[in-house]
Every structure is written in C-alpha cells, then in structure tokens.
Amino acid sequence: MANLSPTVPASAQFVLPKRPNPILHFVRAQPMGAVSFIIIIIMMFAGLFPQFVAPYNPLDIDFASILAAPSWDHWFGTDAYGRDIFSRIIYGSRTALVIGFASSALGSSIGAVLGIASAYFGGRIDNWIQRFMDILLAFPIIVLALVVVAALRKTVIYGVDVNLIIAIAIPIVPRVARVVRAAALSVNVMPYIDAARAAGYSDARIIFRHMAPNVTAPFLIMFTAFIAQAILLEASLSFLGLGVTEPIAAWGLMLSGNAADFYREAPWMVIFPGVAISLAVFAFNLFGDSLRDYLDPRFKT
Amino acid sequence: MEAVVQSHSRAAQSSVPLLAVEDLHVQFETSRGIVRAVQGVSYTVNRGEVVAIVGESGCGKSVSALTMMRLLAKTGRVTKGRILLEGRNLLDLSDEEMRAVRGHEISMIFQEPMTSLNPVLSIGMQIMEPLLIHLKMTEEQAQVRALELMQQVGITDGKRRLSQYPHQLSGGMRQRVMIAIGLACKPKLIIADEPTTALDVTIQAQILELMKNLSRELGIALVIITHNLGIVARYADRVNVMYAANIIEKGSADDIFLKPAHPYTNGLMRSVPRLDEPRGTKLQTIEGLPPDLRMPPAGCRFAPRCPHRLEKCSQPIELIDLGAEHSARCHRVNEIMSGALKIEFPSGDTVASQAQIGDKPLLEVSNLKKHFGVKAAGAGFFSSEMATVRAVDDVSFTIAKGETLGLVGESGCGKTTVGRVVLRLDEATGGSIKFNGVDVTHHSGRNMRDLRRKIQVIFQDPYSSLNPRMTVGEIIAEPLKVYGIVPEKKARLDRVGELLTQVGLFAYMSERYPHELSGGQRQRVGIARALALEPELIVCDEPVSALDVSIQGQVINLLEGLQSRLGLTFLFIAHDLAVVRHISDRVAVMYLGKIMELADRDEIYRAPLHPYTKALLDAAPIPDPRVERARAPRALRGEIPSPLTPPSGCVFHTRCSIATDICKQDVPKVRELKTGHLVACHHAG
C-alpha cells in the first residue's frame, strides 16, 4: 500500500474545511431562509398555544362590537358576530398548519415515491402509474377533493379531520408525481445509478438513498407550493361545508364565510386572514427554496 | 515579458504576422474570487501557418481563443494586452465592427459537432448564412458556393445534404459541415477549439488531414487548440504549450517534440503511452494537480509539481529565449538544454511485477448477442414497426484470472454494451456468460447478489459516476454496510480510510463531497468504491478518457499497481489504442458489434492481420513529428455504417481496401491463424 503513496497529488493536502454547526451555518448561508423559518416557528407556537397569544376566546360573540374597525381593543377588528379577528387568526393557524402542512406532506411524498418508482422501473410499471395519475389529473382539484370528502365522511382524531387531509392530499399526488418523474428520469441514466445497480443494491435502497436525494430540488418546490394550495383548498371545502365548519376558527373559512357580504363595510375581515395565508405561504416557499440550496452539497463552499 | 515580445516581433519583421497576441491578461470574477485565466500570453500566427496551443483543462487555452473572437462570458474581462489582426487591435473594435470580423476574417470551429450546429435549421441554410450576411450574396450565388464548399470538405452528394438537418448526419460529417461554415467567407484565420476530441480515431485523422490540406491550399492560418500532443506532432508548424494561464514553452514542432526544454513539456510527453515504443513497466507521471488560478504560486507555476525544483524556482520567471524562436519559462532551462540536467519523473511503483495470470478462464463469454429494438425509421406515429440494432452480435472471448483484456473500437462498435451485459446491467439477447465456470447469464435473486460482489465497474465520467449527494466516505462505505462486509461502524470508517489510501487519496477526504475533488481524484474514489466489494473482475469502461493527460498516467499506474497487488482481472474498454496496449495483456478489436481481431497485445500491434486493425493503428497519432511525417497518409475512408443497416457479409467491407465480392456475401468466420491470434477476415493470413 505504501508504495502507492507517491501518486498522491501534492497539492491535495489542503486543509479540510471544518463542517460548522448546521443551524448557524444555515443562518449564515441562507439569511432569508432563517427569517422564513422564524415566521414558521411563530406560527407553530401560535397554533400550539393559542391561549397564551390570543387576547380573546375566538368563539366569544360580542354583539356590542360587531364589525368594529381595528383598534387597541381589537387589533385586527371584529367580524359580523363581534368575534376578535386577531384571536381567530391565532387559533386558525393550527387548522392552517395541520391541514396545509400535513396534506401537502402526505400528497407530495406519495407523489415523489410514485414518480421516482415510475422512472426507475420504467416500462409497464411506469405506464400503469402514469395512466392512473392521468385519471386523477382529469378531475378538477376541488371536484376530486369533494368526492373524497363525501365518500370518506369525517374521521376526527385529536380534533383533526384526517379524511379532510387525505382528500386534499390526493389531488396533489399526480401533480408532484409528474414533475418528480421527469427529474428522476434524468437521474436514472446517471452512471452512479448504474454503479449502485452493479453493486447489487436493492431497488428500495437505490430509490430512497440514491435517487430521492437527487430530486429534492423539484420536490421541495412542489411541496412548499402545495402547502399554500392546500390551505386555500381547505378554505374552499369549508366554504362548501365539507371542510372545517363554523364556528371553528380557520383562515379559509374567515375569508369565505360571511366576510363576502361585509367586505365593503369591514375590509379588515378579509384583509387580515388574507395576509395570514400569504405570509404562511411566503414563509413556506422561501424556507423550501433555502432548504433546497442548503441541502445541495454543490452550493456549499 | 516586454523584451520577449520585442524579440519576437523582430524575428517576424520580414512580414507582419497575420495575428499577434501581445501580453494578454484575462480574468474572471467569480463568487469565490478572481480567477486569472490568462496571464501575459503572447504569440504570433503567420499567414497559412498551423499553430497549436496545447495544454490541460483549465490552463487558459480556450479562454485565449475566445478572447480573440471577443466571445468571453460576461464575467470575463481583458485587463491588459492587445490582439492584432493585421495590425488592427481586435479589442478596440466596436461590437458592430467585431461582428464583421467574426465568421468573415476569423472563424471558429468548436469541439462538439453535435451541439454546435442548430438542430432546427437545414445544413444548407447554416452554410449559406454567413455568405448571405457577410458577403451579401444572393440565394443562388450562396447555394452555388455552398455546394463548392461541401465538395471542398469532402462531403459527397452535396445537393441532397443541403436540405438535410444535423441529426441526419454523423459526427464526422457534422464536423465537416462546421469546417465548411468556417471556410465559407474565405477567412484568413480559423480557430479550431479541440476540433477532433469528440470524434473517433479514424474520423479524427480524416478531419485533421482535411484541415491541414485546406490551410495549405487556401493559405488560411489555423490555430488548433488541443490537449492531445499526438495530433499536434503531425499537423502543427509551431507549438505553444500552456500551463496555469502562462505559455511555458513555445517553438517549432520539431523543437517542442525532439528537444523539449520545459520539465512540464517533458512530463506531458512521457505520461502518455505511445504506440511506437515498447511497453515499459510504468508510465512516468507528473504528480499533483495544476495550481488554483485564484492564487497561483508566485514563482514558477510548475514548481510545486516539478521533480527538479530548486530554491530559485520560487522566484518569478519569464520566457527565456533559446534561439530559433524556441523559448521556455524555466529557471533551469540552460542546464536542461545542455544536457547537464536529465529530466526524470517518478513512475510510482517501478517494480510492478506482472500479476500472475491463471490458466483457468475467470470469464468466458460465448456467442454473446445484445439486440435493441428501436422504432423503425419512417414508421408512422401509430405504427409499432420495430427495427433491430445488433449492438453486440456473436461476440466470444475469455479472460483468465489476473489478466487484462483490452476491448478497443470506435464509438458505436458495441464495446460498452459488452461491458454492460457482462455487468448484467443489460440482459443478453443470446449467448452465455460464464464466471468461474458457472453460467451466470440468467442469474437472479440471491445468486445475482453474490455475483455482483465479484464483478465491479469503473466508469468513464468521474463527474457523473459519483452520487453528488453523498460524501466520499458514504459512497465507499455503502457496499461495506449493505453486504455486511464490515458491519461495525468504527471498523468501517477505518476500512474506508484504508481503501482511500490504497487509491492514493487521504483518509480525511472521506468527509468531502465529490464536487470538492478534481477529476482525477474522483476517478480514484470510483476505483475505491469498486474495490470495496473485493471483486475478482473489474469492468473498466473508458476509465481514463475523460481525464487530463498528466492525470491519465497516474490512474493507469494506479490500476496496474492494484492489479498486481490484489490479483484483479480487468476487462478494459477504451478507444485509445496506446492506452489499451499499455495496460492489456490481450487485445480484442471490435467493429459494428463484432470482434474483428483478438490477439496478444504485442502481436496485434506488431503484426496486425485484420485490415481494420491496421487502419486503426494507422490513424492513431504519435507524438513525434519525425515518425508522423514518415507515415503514409491515412488510408481509411468513409464513416462507420449505421448499426440499423449493417453491411451484408463482412461488416467492414464498405471501408476495406482489400474487400472482394466474397466479403459482400459471406460473414467471415473467426479463424485462429496463429496460436491465440484470432481474426475474422476472408483475406487475412
């Protein structure tokens, strides 16, 4: 062995860069990602412990201050029942996070696995998976979700309607699967995948260890984009009476319920829930982008 | 520097040179600092002359050419220097004036004929475009000229070709079209950036011959930028050798090849295996890597890799004139030229004892066939009419334990497919593969897993053969973990370190990601990964062809060292005849899916029997102008036929100089003419 050492390149002896604390490094490398992460943390805290943040009970009806404009008493104003909008937004973040995050995570993950498997196995399996995805794509999102909700009914676990999550996740699956499949097809012909096959690794190992990490870029973009879609879809389903129902505080519901009747007189009824949804979507998208860059070793110095 | 420039311009005063590059400095601003890609480069090109710029990747040779065309990327900036075309400084021209120069006075030929032609425009349109723009010709005039050009670059059947599109042409044909476009406006200067690197040897020879003839007949000066010393020997009048943004030696081709002054030039020539010299035990190699151009060494840039460096080599150095327009940038050049200093490069392990070659074959491939179905040309959208590509057609060979079988051929000959079928990455259509006497052609499941351990692979492209998301350590440790070879984590780390040392890397590199390593280092990681499974047979698919010349030698030596140490058996697939000859014990030559000739390495190079083998050997360049000039002009004409419609009878008969009627009718049988020398030719022997 020692005899081979002369072939070591002389200039290869430069010092190994120390791999820093990942959190600190992330903050330094992706400042915008850190900002968005803080927004997400705040939302999560609000969702987990709304009682510590919200000044009022979100369900308390106060006929004395119906449609009150924003003031020191009601920061974001009140709605048609005199309920405090700020408190409702705080409480609503739980619904938004759970439904939005969970259904996008579920739908995108299944979509990614199907997409990679489709590209990896090819041939008949690819054909079957893709035709099934085509069928799902043929239905408008809202119709598909409606059918699933109607078929599955409500199954509430810990106050969360699991079937609602599934209903929103299903339309996400084919959309992610198509994009991830396209990326996976180009990864599939890379020599390092051949090397993995030649080493006799199992299909599962090649899919999860070798292909999946190399399609994270499109996956993360789709995943974060669909969190936003999911929050909006949940709102639509709520409006149709199939999602979260009054009086539970939910951003989508706040936008779509009787706010529609009062937005001229009380624009704060729609502005603040809208801002909340936008901020959440913005934070998740930004965080997804930063995470993608951060996880790509080629972006590291 | 200034003095050197002066002396040069004096030497060429009799006639003002066509092109003079004077003290050119180019830098790129990148996110990681300023890369000084070209520093103080000066050279001249006279009318009708062929000047070569030779160097490894990243030495600045292409950047200097792109600067001439003013085609630098936006981040690039010329900080100093002039580029004079007939006394006019190209760097001072307005964009409008420069556009008139490009394609009209100077034209450029790029490396990749596949991508440098626009796929949606017809060939005719692309040749006529510069004529219509620069010479304001009418359609009719342009068409006449285009046909004339096609003839000049050796494209027969020009009329039909004019209406064809790039995808309908082979690589060699496309490069001819590129040359025709370059010639269209009768430029004074053609810059060819690696014009033949993407082409096969026989086609490469044709194209170079063509370019040389054109430049001689039409008086066009030619600047050839290349990493291949061999092609330069035959065609260049003068050579500039670049290293780390500097020209380190310049002179006439004879001077550079026969009396190289700079240690780097010497090293470059010795680290390539040569066809015309007996196979030495080991190649001499230049150790290490070129310097980082963000912070190059203050003194001689080659000093860190130079085996003869002295204290004074850390001082800056300019080109030193050696007379007769020969100059070199080396502190010890006088010692070298007077013969007082003999340049020696280390050759790694000089006692490379030949690995013990066993009697029993380790791998027996018999009548192997691999056919691919592709949609037939001209088949309708809904038609499922299929055509068959016989990528591998009836191939048989054996490899004994500890032996290296070289598999050579041009692109599309099926050599890579043979490797993939042996690796069982593709299923054989017919025939059998025996490993250690066991038929493994249709192994699956548990048997297959056991087989995978014993047959491993090293790929060509070190950039895409490593998973970019895994560290070097993870890549090498993975097989150890999956197969439970080293189940314990700590021990596994030790083993990874051991494997890295074995391939000439350091254990600490296991923390790195592939993109943090150089091409040569990555290839070593690929080798370590293959070794992790302790295989008996390694399929090496062009393992050095993507590497720089000085790195190639290092990797070849490593492979040879590992073979003798670990008793490995190699199936070595390559297109470079000299490399194959150097590393192989026996060589098989493939053409269009068939083996044409198979014999002992020395035998096949000394006394080739098949006309195709002869043509291949003929076409391979040798880095020595004397040898090259003495060689006959290249005989092999034409292109490799499409594997969709292979010729009847002997597949080589369309290009063969001795073909007769029988060759068109009967497929020649493989005959053993001498012991161990197999040939498939009606007329051999």
Side-chain angles (χ1 to χ4, degrees), chain B residues 296-333:
Chain B
C300 169
R301 295 195 167 179
F302 185 62
R305 298 174 78 186
C306 184
H308 302 292
R309 64 175 169 269
L310 298 174
E311 201 64 46
K312 66 177 174 185
C313 293
S314 56
Q315 298 299 315
I317 169 85
E318 298 299 340
L319 281 169
I320 295 171
D321 204 341
L322 302 168
E325 296 211 27
H326 187 192
S327 54
R329 198 185 273 262
C330 175
H331 284 286
R332 306 188 70 183
V333 69

Side-chain angles (χ1 to χ4, degrees), chain A residues 1 4 6-9 12-14 19 191-192 194-195 197-201 205 210 213-214 216 295 297 301, chain B residues 32 287-288 420 449 452 456 464-469 478-479 482-483 502 504 506 508 511 515 521 524 529 565:
Chain A
M1 250 81 318
L4 277 176
T7 49
V8 173
Q13 286 152 347
F14 46 94
R19 301 221 180 263
Y192 60 81
D194 273 342
R197 283 183 223 237
Y201 301 154
R205 182 170 197 95
H210 292 266
N214 286 293
T216 38
L295 290 179
T301 17
Chain B
R32 301 196 185 159
E287 301 307 330
R420 290 182 63 88
R449 257 173 81 85
R452 293 281 191 213
Q456 273 301 301
S464 55
S465 60
L466 303 177
N467 188 337
R469 296 278 174 159
E478 191 176 23
V482 170
Y483 281 89
Q502 207 164 41
F506 295 100
Y508 68 78
E511 297 275 316
H515 73 101
Q521 289 173 334
R524 288 169 192 267
R529 172 178 62 191
R565 211 181 316 276

